[in-house]
Amino acid sequence: WLHNPFQSFLRSQAGDVTYLPEHYVADVIRPLADLGIHFRGSVHVEAMPDDGADELDWVEGMIETGRCSYVKGFVASCDLTLETAEEEMERLRRASPARLRGVRWILNCVGKYRGGTTATHVGTLRHDGVDYLREPDFERGLASLEKQNLSFDLQCAPIQLVQSAAALFAKYPNLKVCIDHMGTPRAILGNDLLDDGSGINPNDIPDEDELKAWREGMTE
């Protein structure tokens, strides 16, 4: 799927990856059915496309042909700092008038991207080192999002929850916000694997400073 023309950024970071609806059925839906769990549907969350509406068009096409009829909603990509953000939201609505629920733009930023050694996400290479949560243009886009009655998926670092996100989103009480990945507490328990790569990290010694910041941010 990374051969799609709207995925040049993700392809530049992830390489040649193919994961299609059929893989999802095999990996998720069938195993759940084997356990007696009825899978009722899913929400497609954006995957850092170059153009959010083009990504929706592509998935909508697969829904129409029955390849992923289980997709019931979309959280689409939209850079809220753009002067054309409202026009982009209208493009998203036209691409999926029945399924569009909200937007996401990955915000994890504690400085420039350092190859995954900090809480800064590779997605922020699109505005490397700029914390959108502190940018007036991003706040302008949030206000437009609230008027459009669309939700926002907030994916940021724990310290950003404390230092900027809580106060910013408090200004928009009618905006529905979903905190992605439980506030991304990436450093609290260390890496998933042991440092020498010999096995899975038991994750039993949390980083107390990170844990404190994450708790405070989630509370706020």
Side-chain angles (χ1 to χ4, degrees), residues 50-52 77-89 91 105 126 132 135-142 144:
D50 307 329
D51 186 291
S77 176
C78 183
D79 184 347
L80 297 182
T81 69
L82 296 177
E83 290 185 3
T84 57
E86 285 202 43
E87 289 86 347
E88 288 301 308
M89 293 177 205
R91 286 187 65 226
W105 189 265
R126 295 174 289 183
Y132 268 18
E135 293 295 306
D137 287 345
F138 180 78
E139 183 170 353
R140 182 195 64 222
L142 276 184
S144 298

Side-chain angles (χ1 to χ4, degrees), residues 83-159:
E83 290 185 3
T84 57
E86 285 202 43
E87 289 86 347
E88 288 301 308
M89 293 177 205
E90 290 299 330
R91 286 187 65 226
L92 295 173
R93 284 195 184 279
R94 290 195 295 272
S96 184
R99 296 184 180 88
L100 182 64
R101 299 292 182 267
V103 306
R104 180 177 75 164
W105 189 265
I106 293 173
L107 301 173
N108 313 53
C109 180
V110 294
K112 287 185 174 294
Y113 181 63
R114 305 294 184 193
T117 60
T118 72
T120 296
H121 192 280
V122 65
T124 63
L125 279 172
R126 295 174 289 183
H127 44 93
D128 199 13
V130 178
D131 183 355
Y132 268 18
L133 287 169
R134 299 178 182 274
E135 293 295 306
D137 287 345
F138 180 78
E139 183 170 353
R140 182 195 64 222
L142 276 184
S144 298
L145 196 64
E146 184 182 51
K147 288 189 293 185
Q148 295 265 2
N149 196 31
L150 292 170
S151 65
F152 184 74
D153 269 43
L154 173 62
Q155 181 176 326
C156 66
I159 195 64

